[in-house]
Amino acid sequence: MTDTFAGGGAAPEQVAPWWRSAVFYQVYPRSFADSNGDGVGDLGGLRDKLGYLELLGVDALWICPIMRSPMADGGYDVSDPRDIDPLFGSLELMDELIAEAHDRRMRVTMDLVPNHSSDQHPWFQAALAAGPGSPERARYLFRDGRGPDGGAPPNNWPSIFGGPAWTRIREADGRPGQWYLHLFAPEQPDLNWENPEVAADFEQTMRFWLQRGVDGFRIDVAHGMAKPPGLPDMETVDTRMLAHEDSDPRFNNPGVHRIHRGIRRIMDEYPHAVAIGEVWVNDNNRFGEYVRPDELHLAFNFRLAETPFAPDSIRAAVDNSLRAVTMVGASPTWTLSNHDIAREVTRYGGGAVGQARARAMMMLEMALPGAVFVYNGAELGLPNVDDLPDEVLQDPAWARSGHVERGRDGCRVPLPWEGERSPFGFTTGRPWLPIPAQWAQLTVERQLERLDSMLSLYRMAIELRAVRPEFAGPGLEWYGSPPGCLAFRRAGGLLCVLNATDSPIVLPAGEVLLSSAPITARKLPANSTAWLV
Ligand code: NOJ
């Protein structure tokens, strides 16, 4: 880095499918808006708020799981993948939602969960009844236990939510029997993707939703569906909650790419649609393998969300994310948070500083080439709620960890829409998680009235990104910048400058298109970002 701003360069523009540079809005349906007063958000609530999302300017929705589920993991435990859970609505309502979103020129993508089913899925119930060696058991990963009485799990893998990744069942005669694998909660048995019935059923599910008009899928645990031959022990048992290394045998096995090629063949029959994989892997080469031309269209890259508010780390995250996809001709994705990660305002320090940094990072993210995913509530600058009472916690990680890990409920608190008191228009009933009284300051209603709100900044940033030619081009060039700052230029001519120091810096030449904090005398305040053209 240098003390002055200098640099530039242009890359050729490409004609791109809609999803390449779309702004996706992630709806965590339980927490978005409730239309029937049961305290849990639903599709009716989402439909009522489509006008708001249109105003926000997003191109597409990603709706977290809404299929039939006993809700052991917020819907990521699916008992019927081709129906809507009554908690959220009905197939008819989903059809209406898709049509209304399309009328408003928003695409609709939904979460599918191919790695595991619910333990209440008819297949799993049949597998329990059917006994060892049966075709019913072969749809899952049942194994005999180790030790003389089979009393020890088949291998040493821990579950991502704590405790062993294996649960022992009782056979029909009441005796302790085989064990089944569940990388997540015991209510989420892993499916056996070596079994052609599993792929065939997933194909049916994809076609079912695509034919109803959805524009694609977010594919849960897209790096986990293939298991290593023989299910070998882990060398070092990694018991961190919701985390794993690239060497972890539970994930990123080479066989997963055959599965993704199969999924892509089906997707290609619906050329408007996109498949976006949840892929947790650090190595750039291995990440790139998931987005080769015959695999997923996009994969989530979580580097930016894992990065502290520090210029070197941010630059490394951007460079690595770009490198991982450009090697295979794919497009990057960016996100600052989701329903599994602490909210960015809190990660960046909370309070006014956390807000300022979240604004700055959002503008940096929106200036990058590729697709952006905004987690519901990020546009309101919601913080994580880290002081939820123990008795309301619902994340399976809380119980599985013996009440040590509080889990992810803190980033899933329902959105505040209007008014001065909880539940702030989210529901007419009692919200499934309590909403902090201080969120009266953060309601949509209040933020729409103020030009300096997080919501207004999001609206302006999304609009500029969509309409200004300066955002064109697939790549970026780093621009010389003072210590503690970052600057890059897009081929179209946009210059994005982030000041991560604690004092103002003088901006380089150019017209200021937007800034995350007021600029006076051409000085960009601490913890803020400006776009120049
Ligand atoms: C990833 C999802 O984002 C998370 O919420 C869920 O718990 C696991 N996959 C298991 O499905």
Side-chain angles (χ1 to χ4, degrees), residues 73 76 113 116 161 184 188 218 220-221 278 339-340 408 412:
D73 181 22
Y76 283 96
V113 190
H116 43 266
F161 293 147
F184 296 90
Q188 295 165 296
R218 179 264 193 187
D220 189 60
V221 200
E278 184 203 20
H339 62 296
D340 295 329
R408 301 157 292 175
R412 298 173 175 180

Side-chain angles (χ1 to χ4, degrees), residues 247-306:
S247 57
D248 189 324
R250 296 171 298 176
F251 297 97
N252 296 302
N253 287 288
V256 81
H257 298 291
R258 183 184 52 80
I259 299 171
H260 286 301
R261 284 194 288 273
I263 290 176
R264 180 59 179 261
R265 276 195 291 277
I266 300 155
M267 292 300 293
D268 281 345
E269 292 180 38
Y270 306 83
H272 71 286
V274 62
I276 311 152
E278 184 203 20
V279 173
W280 292 91
V281 64
N282 285 315
D283 181 78
N284 287 340
N285 291 313
R286 292 177 77 182
F287 185 92
E289 288 172 359
Y290 285 90
V291 282
R292 289 178 287 200
D294 60 348
E295 297 198 31
L296 292 160
H297 299 91
L298 296 174
F300 282 98
N301 195 314
F302 298 106
R303 285 183 193 273
L304 209 55
E306 290 176 318

Side-chain angles (χ1 to χ4, degrees), residues 224-513:
M225 288 123 88
K227 308 298 186 289
L231 306 178
D233 275 344
M234 282 170 87
E235 271 176 29
T236 327
V237 178
D238 185 350
T239 52
R240 287 171 306 154
M241 193 77 55
L242 296 164
H244 52 80
E245 299 295 333
D246 286 3
S247 57
D248 189 324
R250 296 171 298 176
F251 297 97
N252 296 302
N253 287 288
V256 81
H257 298 291
R258 183 184 52 80
I259 299 171
H260 286 301
R261 284 194 288 273
I263 290 176
R264 180 59 179 261
R265 276 195 291 277
I266 300 155
M267 292 300 293
D268 281 345
E269 292 180 38
Y270 306 83
H272 71 286
V274 62
I276 311 152
E278 184 203 20
V279 173
W280 292 91
V281 64
N282 285 315
D283 181 78
N284 287 340
N285 291 313
R286 292 177 77 182
F287 185 92
E289 288 172 359
Y290 285 90
V291 282
R292 289 178 287 200
D294 60 348
E295 297 198 31
L296 292 160
H297 299 91
L298 296 174
F300 282 98
N301 195 314
F302 298 106
R303 285 183 193 273
L304 209 55
E306 290 176 318
T307 298
F309 189 76
D312 291 349
S313 322
I314 297 168
R315 182 171 169 159
V318 169
D319 278 341
N320 275 302
S321 306
L322 289 173
R323 207 170 297 136
V325 291
T326 41
M327 296 188 294
V328 289
S331 195
T333 64
W334 310 100
T335 189
L336 295 176
S337 52
N338 65 29
H339 62 296
D340 295 329
I341 304 174
R343 285 190 178 274
E344 56 268 42
V345 166
T346 303
R347 293 200 322 267
Y348 300 145
V353 169
Q355 289 283 345
R357 292 176 171 173
R359 292 166 71 93
M361 285 300 286
M362 179 275 280
M363 280 189 58
L364 176 123
E365 179 191 37
M366 292 280 177
L368 292 165
V372 172
F373 292 82
V374 177
Y375 175 46
N376 61 195
E379 82 279 18
L380 303 177
L382 300 183
N384 232 53
V385 183
D386 293 328
D387 57 356
L388 286 168
D390 291 359
E391 60 279 11
V392 303
L393 296 181
Q394 301 202 12
D395 188 336
W398 171 240
R400 295 274 304 164
S401 68
H403 299 165
V404 175
E405 287 281 345
R406 300 185 69 74
R408 301 157 292 175
D409 292 314
C411 65
R412 298 173 175 180
V413 171
L415 264 61
W417 290 94
E418 61 192 24
E420 298 301 319
R421 275 187 305 280
S422 173
F424 302 112
F426 164 73
T427 178
T428 52
R430 190 184 158 91
W432 71 281
L433 287 174
I435 311 177
Q438 310 86 286
W439 286 14
Q441 307 299 321
L442 298 174
T443 60
V444 170
E445 180 182 46
R446 195 168 278 213
Q447 297 204 39
L448 282 175
E449 289 163 2
R450 299 187 57 119
L451 257 184
D452 63 356
S453 65
M454 181 74 93
L455 179 55
S456 294
L457 186 69
Y458 261 89
R459 288 178 64 193
M460 289 184 280
I462 293 172
E463 187 183 353
L464 289 169
R465 189 180 190 274
V467 300
R468 295 287 302 217
E470 291 88 352
F471 289 79
L476 61 80
E477 289 250 348
W478 293 105
Y479 209 73
S481 60
C485 299
L486 274 184
F488 62 82
R489 187 182 280 286
R490 295 285 304 278
L494 178 82
L495 181 61
C496 177
V497 181
L498 177 140
N499 176 8
T501 70
D502 45 23
S503 43
I505 56 155
V506 178
L507 283 170
E511 177 201 339
V512 176
L513 200 58

